[in-house]
Short mmCIF file of all heavy atoms in Angstrom, two decimals:
data_model
loop_
_atom_site.label_atom_id
_atom_site.label_comp_id
_atom_site.label_asym_id
_atom_site.label_seq_id
_atom_site.Cartn_x
_atom_site.Cartn_y
_atom_site.Cartn_z
N ARG Q 424 24.76 -1.27 0.68
CA ARG Q 424 25.28 -0.52 1.84
C ARG Q 424 24.10 0.04 2.73
O ARG Q 424 24.20 0.09 3.87
CB ARG Q 424 26.17 0.56 1.39
CG ARG Q 424 26.92 1.35 2.48
CD ARG Q 424 28.11 2.07 2.08
NE ARG Q 424 28.69 2.92 3.13
CZ ARG Q 424 29.83 3.57 3.03
NH1 ARG Q 424 30.58 3.39 1.86
NH2 ARG Q 424 30.29 4.26 3.99
N GLN Q 425 23.04 0.48 2.06
CA GLN Q 425 21.94 0.95 2.77
C GLN Q 425 21.19 -0.10 3.60
O GLN Q 425 20.63 0.14 4.66
CB GLN Q 425 20.87 1.65 1.80
CG GLN Q 425 21.37 3.09 1.36
CD GLN Q 425 20.35 3.70 0.55
OE1 GLN Q 425 19.30 4.13 1.03
NE2 GLN Q 425 20.67 3.97 -0.83
N ALA Q 426 21.22 -1.36 2.93
CA ALA Q 426 20.63 -2.46 3.74
C ALA Q 426 21.45 -2.70 5.04
O ALA Q 426 20.89 -2.96 6.05
CB ALA Q 426 20.68 -3.70 2.86
N TYR Q 427 22.77 -2.70 4.92
CA TYR Q 427 23.57 -2.90 6.14
C TYR Q 427 23.38 -1.78 7.10
O TYR Q 427 23.26 -2.03 8.34
CB TYR Q 427 25.11 -2.95 5.76
CG TYR Q 427 25.51 -4.26 5.06
CD1 TYR Q 427 26.38 -4.23 4.01
CD2 TYR Q 427 25.05 -5.51 5.46
CE1 TYR Q 427 26.87 -5.35 3.34
CE2 TYR Q 427 25.55 -6.65 4.82
CZ TYR Q 427 26.33 -6.56 3.80
OH TYR Q 427 26.72 -7.78 3.14
N ALA Q 428 23.27 -0.53 6.55
CA ALA Q 428 23.02 0.60 7.52
C ALA Q 428 21.69 0.47 8.17
O ALA Q 428 21.62 0.68 9.42
CB ALA Q 428 22.95 1.90 6.70
N GLY Q 429 20.61 -0.06 7.48
CA GLY Q 429 19.32 -0.29 8.16
C GLY Q 429 19.48 -1.30 9.21
O GLY Q 429 18.81 -1.21 10.31
N MET Q 430 20.29 -2.40 8.96
CA MET Q 430 20.41 -3.43 9.95
C MET Q 430 21.05 -2.91 11.23
O MET Q 430 20.64 -3.26 12.39
CB MET Q 430 21.33 -4.57 9.40
CG MET Q 430 20.80 -5.37 8.20
SD MET Q 430 19.38 -6.32 8.48
CE MET Q 430 19.79 -7.42 9.75
N LEU Q 431 22.10 -2.02 11.03
CA LEU Q 431 22.74 -1.50 12.23
C LEU Q 431 21.98 -0.40 12.97
O LEU Q 431 21.99 -0.31 14.16
CB LEU Q 431 24.17 -0.98 11.77
CG LEU Q 431 25.03 -2.00 11.23
CD1 LEU Q 431 26.27 -1.42 10.63
CD2 LEU Q 431 25.49 -2.99 12.43
N TRP Q 432 21.17 0.37 12.20
CA TRP Q 432 20.33 1.40 12.87
C TRP Q 432 19.16 0.75 13.56
O TRP Q 432 18.61 1.35 14.47
CB TRP Q 432 19.76 2.42 11.81
CG TRP Q 432 20.57 3.55 11.59
CD1 TRP Q 432 21.49 3.84 10.53
CD2 TRP Q 432 20.66 4.72 12.41
NE1 TRP Q 432 22.03 4.97 10.62
CE2 TRP Q 432 21.57 5.61 11.73
CE3 TRP Q 432 20.02 5.19 13.58
CZ2 TRP Q 432 21.90 6.91 12.29
CZ3 TRP Q 432 20.33 6.38 14.14
CH2 TRP Q 432 21.23 7.19 13.48
N SER Q 433 18.82 -0.50 13.26
CA SER Q 433 17.61 -1.15 13.90
C SER Q 433 18.02 -1.91 15.14
O SER Q 433 17.29 -2.64 15.62
CB SER Q 433 17.10 -2.09 12.87
OG SER Q 433 16.56 -1.47 11.77
N LYS Q 434 19.19 -1.56 15.76
CA LYS Q 434 19.45 -1.99 17.09
C LYS Q 434 18.66 -1.16 18.11
O LYS Q 434 18.49 0.05 17.89
CB LYS Q 434 20.96 -1.86 17.40
CG LYS Q 434 21.87 -2.78 16.57
CD LYS Q 434 23.32 -2.57 17.02
CE LYS Q 434 24.27 -3.43 16.25
NZ LYS Q 434 25.66 -3.20 16.75
N GLN Q 435 18.27 -1.79 19.17
CA GLN Q 435 17.44 -1.05 20.25
C GLN Q 435 17.68 -1.62 21.57
O GLN Q 435 17.86 -2.86 21.77
CB GLN Q 435 15.99 -1.15 19.92
CG GLN Q 435 15.03 -0.43 20.83
CD GLN Q 435 13.65 -0.53 20.45
OE1 GLN Q 435 13.18 -0.22 19.39
NE2 GLN Q 435 12.83 -0.96 21.41
N PHE Q 436 17.77 -0.75 22.52
CA PHE Q 436 17.75 -1.26 23.90
C PHE Q 436 16.32 -1.72 24.26
O PHE Q 436 15.35 -0.94 24.11
CB PHE Q 436 18.04 -0.06 24.83
CG PHE Q 436 17.98 -0.28 26.33
CD1 PHE Q 436 18.75 -1.15 26.99
CD2 PHE Q 436 16.74 0.16 27.02
CE1 PHE Q 436 18.60 -1.42 28.38
CE2 PHE Q 436 16.58 -0.03 28.31
CZ PHE Q 436 17.57 -0.89 29.03
N TYR Q 437 16.29 -2.97 24.59
CA TYR Q 437 14.96 -3.49 24.84
C TYR Q 437 14.94 -4.07 26.27
O TYR Q 437 15.85 -4.85 26.72
CB TYR Q 437 14.65 -4.73 23.85
CG TYR Q 437 13.27 -5.34 24.09
CD1 TYR Q 437 12.16 -4.93 23.27
CD2 TYR Q 437 12.99 -6.31 25.01
CE1 TYR Q 437 10.92 -5.45 23.41
CE2 TYR Q 437 11.75 -6.89 25.25
CZ TYR Q 437 10.72 -6.41 24.41
OH TYR Q 437 9.41 -6.87 24.57
N HIS Q 438 13.86 -3.52 27.04
CA HIS Q 438 13.87 -3.87 28.49
C HIS Q 438 12.53 -4.28 28.86
O HIS Q 438 11.53 -3.56 28.60
CB HIS Q 438 14.34 -2.57 29.24
CG HIS Q 438 14.42 -2.74 30.63
ND1 HIS Q 438 14.93 -3.91 31.29
CD2 HIS Q 438 14.16 -1.85 31.74
CE1 HIS Q 438 14.88 -3.80 32.63
NE2 HIS Q 438 14.40 -2.52 32.86
N ILE Q 439 12.42 -5.41 29.60
CA ILE Q 439 11.18 -5.78 30.24
C ILE Q 439 11.48 -6.84 31.30
O ILE Q 439 12.36 -7.72 31.07
CB ILE Q 439 10.09 -6.24 29.28
CG1 ILE Q 439 8.79 -6.51 29.97
CG2 ILE Q 439 10.54 -7.58 28.59
CD1 ILE Q 439 7.58 -6.77 29.13
N VAL Q 440 10.94 -6.74 32.50
CA VAL Q 440 10.95 -7.76 33.48
C VAL Q 440 9.54 -8.20 33.67
O VAL Q 440 8.70 -7.43 34.26
CB VAL Q 440 11.58 -7.24 34.74
CG1 VAL Q 440 11.59 -8.40 35.74
CG2 VAL Q 440 12.90 -6.66 34.59
N VAL Q 441 9.11 -9.38 33.11
CA VAL Q 441 7.70 -9.73 33.05
C VAL Q 441 7.06 -9.74 34.37
O VAL Q 441 5.93 -9.29 34.65
CB VAL Q 441 7.47 -11.01 32.23
CG1 VAL Q 441 6.10 -11.60 32.40
CG2 VAL Q 441 7.95 -10.87 30.78
N LYS Q 442 7.76 -10.29 35.34
CA LYS Q 442 7.19 -10.40 36.72
C LYS Q 442 6.81 -9.03 37.25
O LYS Q 442 5.65 -8.81 37.80
CB LYS Q 442 8.22 -11.06 37.65
CG LYS Q 442 7.72 -11.22 39.10
CD LYS Q 442 8.78 -11.97 39.95
CE LYS Q 442 8.23 -12.23 41.40
NZ LYS Q 442 7.99 -11.05 42.06
N ASP Q 443 7.69 -8.05 37.06
CA ASP Q 443 7.42 -6.68 37.54
C ASP Q 443 6.32 -6.07 36.73
O ASP Q 443 5.48 -5.38 37.20
CB ASP Q 443 8.64 -5.79 37.44
CG ASP Q 443 9.70 -6.20 38.39
OD1 ASP Q 443 9.40 -7.03 39.33
OD2 ASP Q 443 10.80 -5.71 38.27
N TRP Q 444 6.30 -6.35 35.41
CA TRP Q 444 5.32 -5.87 34.49
C TRP Q 444 3.93 -6.30 34.88
O TRP Q 444 2.88 -5.58 34.88
CB TRP Q 444 5.64 -6.20 33.03
CG TRP Q 444 4.68 -5.79 32.02
CD1 TRP Q 444 4.48 -4.54 31.52
CD2 TRP Q 444 3.70 -6.69 31.35
NE1 TRP Q 444 3.46 -4.60 30.51
CE2 TRP Q 444 3.01 -5.85 30.45
CE3 TRP Q 444 3.49 -8.05 31.38
CZ2 TRP Q 444 2.04 -6.35 29.60
CZ3 TRP Q 444 2.39 -8.58 30.55
CH2 TRP Q 444 1.75 -7.73 29.68
#
Side-chain angles (χ1 to χ4, degrees):
R424 186 157 174 175
Q425 287 183 67
Y427 288 138
M430 298 294 302
L431 295 169
W432 269 102
S433 296
K434 294 181 182 182
Q435 181 181 306
F436 171 77
Y437 185 92
H438 184 35
I439 188 169
V440 181
V441 171
K442 183 177 183 295
D443 292 351
W444 177 75

